Amino acid sequence: MGNIAANKNGVLYLLLHLFLLCFLVMGEFDLSGLNYTKYIKQASRLRLERIQKHLEKINKPPLITIQSPDGDIIDCVHKRKQPALDHPLLKNHKIQRVPPEMPKRLIQEEVRNSMSNEATIKGTPRQWQWQMWHSNGTRCPKGTVPIRRSSVHDVLRAKSLFHFGKKQRGFINPASHRADAPDIVSGNGHEHAIAYTGTTQEFYGARATINVWDPSIEEVNEFSLSQIWILSGSFDGSDLNSIEAGWQVSPELYGDNRPRLFTYWTTDSYEATGCYNLLCAGFVQTNSRIAIGASISPVSQYTANQYDITILIWKDPKLGNWWMGLGDNTLIGYWPAELFTHLADRATMVEWGGEVVNSRANGQHTSTQMGSGHFPEDGFGKSSYFRNLEVVDADNSLSSVRGISTLAENTNCYNIRSSYNKEWGTFFYYGGPGNNPRCP
């Protein structure tokens, strides 16, 4: 009987293996024209077993499942069963039920939608309706959180199981453009166009309204993102703490070319800790209507309607957790203070801006776009922007940031220009097309 069972199991694994490989080869194309098949490695039986075991850890049993028209599967998971609580540092963590203390100026401000249409406010999507999985009207039940299900496809596109859901760490670049420029992690082809604060201040959060586009990506293992960084620690060591949120296009991570809401965190300079979204234990989600990692729609169009999202990250003075808010006062969830070393207390730098990966696959600079794919001098309706840049101080007060510096490693490929006015406060246009006659 034992031999028969073993043979049956062996046949089942072989059939599963062949099915997955056939399914992957036939299914790894989308309308973007990117070729995914060359990133799908020969999957051995042992590797498939490891992948399945990992997926069972992060894909928690749902109460209900929602099929999104963009191909995503959204699992509605009981909030106490979400991946975050598997973290060893959160073994005795109780999900924060007391609402965090909102930054003071935010309470006094006129309520703003989480997504605004700059060309016409009429018809602006409500704060959760710009995620495509809501299109059929189904919602996650109260007491659950929506989690985008990860697939074998997703893992096999990554460099390895260890690298799945993580930013690849580059070599440390001391950014010698100016003496006062921040150190930035910019190896492995990572390029930036950012605005940043000084390093002598203390910060307890930041906020900005970010223009959403759908930049084209040349290679599957490249990405383009626009985000806020909350930072503390050193860039020339292994103790950098970072909390990040924004939107990104990442074919390797998601299998398509759609812009998606994302989060990230690390406590060791992107070496081993942290991940995107809910792809590891850490970030605690509290919102039942917004799925981190889900696609955003509609997006801005060249010389037409402009859409943006407002993101706030701040440290709750009551319990010390780092919260993420979207739009007005819509709470998404938080990064528990227990996860961090330097950020357990405060941040020492804030950055806003864009980042891409340039793989130089054909010996030339990639044509992967940042932002809208247009340089900042093209202005509104053509270039991508961050507006109303604000920081949170030790008194939990929001104020417009002044005196920011800007940095772009290669201004012929991607650039940034900052300014200030009454309506947008401190703002900047940024981005670029990548490869062009001045960026070979």
Side-chain angles (χ1 to χ4, degrees):
M1 290 293 290
N3 289 335
I4 294 173
N7 288 336
K8 283 184 177 179
N9 286 336
V11 171
L12 286 173
Y13 273 117
L14 179 60
L15 290 173
L16 175 63
H17 187 189
L18 291 173
F19 172 77
L20 284 172
L21 288 178
C22 291
F23 188 57
L24 288 167
V25 169
M26 292 190 301
E28 283 295 314
F29 293 90
D30 75 348
L31 298 179
S32 67
L34 292 172
N35 183 353
Y36 289 80
T37 56
K38 66 180 180 178
Y39 294 94
I40 301 300
K41 306 168 183 64
Q42 185 71 17
S44 68
R45 171 177 162 177
L46 180 60
R47 187 169 187 230
L48 287 173
E49 287 176 352
R50 288 173 177 168
I51 290 172
Q52 189 58 41
K53 188 175 180 180
H54 182 73
L55 290 175
E56 287 171 0
K57 284 179 61 179
I58 62 175
N59 290 331
K60 301 299 185 181
L63 271 67
I64 67 168
T65 293
I66 301 170
Q67 180 72 53
S68 176
D70 59 8
D72 284 355
I73 296 176
I74 303 297
D75 289 328
C76 301
V77 176
H78 194 285
K79 62 184 179 181
R80 288 196 293 271
K81 300 293 185 181
Q82 62 181 295
L85 303 179
D86 291 338
H87 198 288
L89 294 176
L90 304 179
K91 188 175 181 180
N92 299 314
H93 183 83
K94 293 185 178 180
I95 295 176
Q96 183 174 338
R97 299 181 66 181
V98 179
E101 183 180 325
M102 303 295 288
K104 295 182 180 66
R105 185 179 170 189
L106 183 64
I107 296 173
Q108 298 168 2
E109 284 183 338
E110 180 182 352
V111 172
R112 292 190 278 185
N113 288 317
S114 64
M115 187 173 224
S116 63
N117 179 333
E118 284 297 313
T120 169
I121 300 300
K122 185 177 181 181
T124 298
R126 296 180 70 181
Q127 55 203 17
W128 59 85
Q129 290 177 335
W130 46 263
Q131 291 201 314
M132 293 183 70
W133 65 278
H134 282 290
S135 61
N136 67 0
T138 307
R139 299 178 183 176
C140 283
K142 186 177 180 181
T144 68
V145 293
I147 301 178
R148 180 184 182 270
R149 186 185 299 179
S150 297
S151 69
V152 175
H153 286 193
D154 297 332
V155 181
L156 288 177
R157 284 191 303 269
K159 185 178 179 181
S160 69
L161 182 57
F162 173 80
H163 291 93
F164 172 61
K166 297 181 183 294
K167 278 189 180 182
Q168 289 191 33
R169 180 179 186 264
F171 62 85
I172 303 303
N173 178 3
S176 58
H177 299 264
R178 289 193 301 273
D180 64 337
D183 295 344
I184 52 177
V185 179
S186 59
N188 289 337
H190 288 239
E191 297 186 27
H192 306 77
I194 61 169
Y196 61 94
T197 62
T199 57
T200 58
Q201 298 172 266
E202 296 179 355
F203 301 99
Y204 295 82
R207 182 184 184 189
T209 298
I210 311 173
N211 198 198
V212 181
W213 292 78
D214 56 350
S216 66
I217 311 297
E218 182 175 343
E219 296 290 332
V220 173
N221 63 338
E222 297 178 338
F223 66 65
S224 180
L225 59 76
S226 299
Q227 68 169 68
I228 300 172
W229 288 262
I230 307 291
L231 301 161
S232 190
S234 62
F235 289 85
D236 56 358
S238 60
D239 65 343
L240 178 69
N241 286 202
S242 181
I243 290 174
E244 308 169 20
W247 64 262
Q248 69 178 159
V249 176
S250 177
E252 181 181 284
L253 188 59
Y254 304 105
D256 61 27
N257 236 17
R258 296 182 178 90
R260 294 171 177 271
L261 179 71
F262 83 94
T263 61
Y264 199 88
W265 68 277
T266 180
T267 61
D268 61 356
S269 300
Y270 306 94
E271 283 286 0
T273 62
C275 62
Y276 282 112
N277 309 332
L278 305 182
L279 295 178
C280 68
F283 184 86
V284 177
Q285 180 150 347
T286 59
N287 191 293
S288 65
R289 292 188 172 182
I290 295 175
I292 300 171
S295 60
I296 299 172
S297 180
V299 298
S300 301
Q301 300 293 324
Y302 187 76
T303 67
N305 289 341
Q306 300 299 294
Y307 294 91
D308 52 37
I309 55 175
T310 299
I311 292 177
L312 168 67
I313 302 171
W314 86 103
K315 188 176 179 64
D316 177 19
K318 293 179 181 178
L319 297 178
N321 298 319
W322 288 89
W323 277 82
M324 176 182 173
L326 201 60
D328 40 43
N329 58 352
T330 301
L331 301 175
I332 306 300
Y334 62 91
W335 294 268
E338 299 98 306
L339 296 175
F340 301 101
T341 53
H342 297 289
L343 280 175
D345 189 17
R346 66 181 73 86
T348 55
M349 179 180 286
V350 175
E351 296 176 3
W352 302 261
E355 178 183 2
V356 300
V357 170
N358 166 33
S359 64
R360 299 192 68 88
N362 300 311
Q364 294 183 321
H365 194 286
T366 182
S367 60
T368 286
Q369 299 173 333
M370 180 188 292
S372 68
H374 292 265
F375 285 111
E377 53 264 32
D378 289 352
F380 182 78
K382 301 176 181 179
S383 301
S384 191
Y385 61 80
F386 277 63
R387 62 180 175 89
N388 301 107
L389 272 59
E390 297 173 302
V391 291
V392 181
D393 62 20
D395 295 325
N396 200 34
S397 296
L398 267 168
S399 60
S400 180
V401 64
R402 299 293 184 96
I404 58 168
S405 301
T406 59
L407 171 67
E409 293 105 324
N410 191 341
T411 57
N412 289 327
C413 305
Y414 314 103
N415 207 355
I416 181 170
R417 287 188 177 183
S418 64
S419 189
Y420 179 88
N421 64 35
K422 279 189 176 182
E423 185 180 356
W424 279 20
T426 298
F427 69 94
F428 61 82
Y429 288 102
Y430 71 104
N435 183 272
N436 68 82
R438 294 185 300 152
C439 175

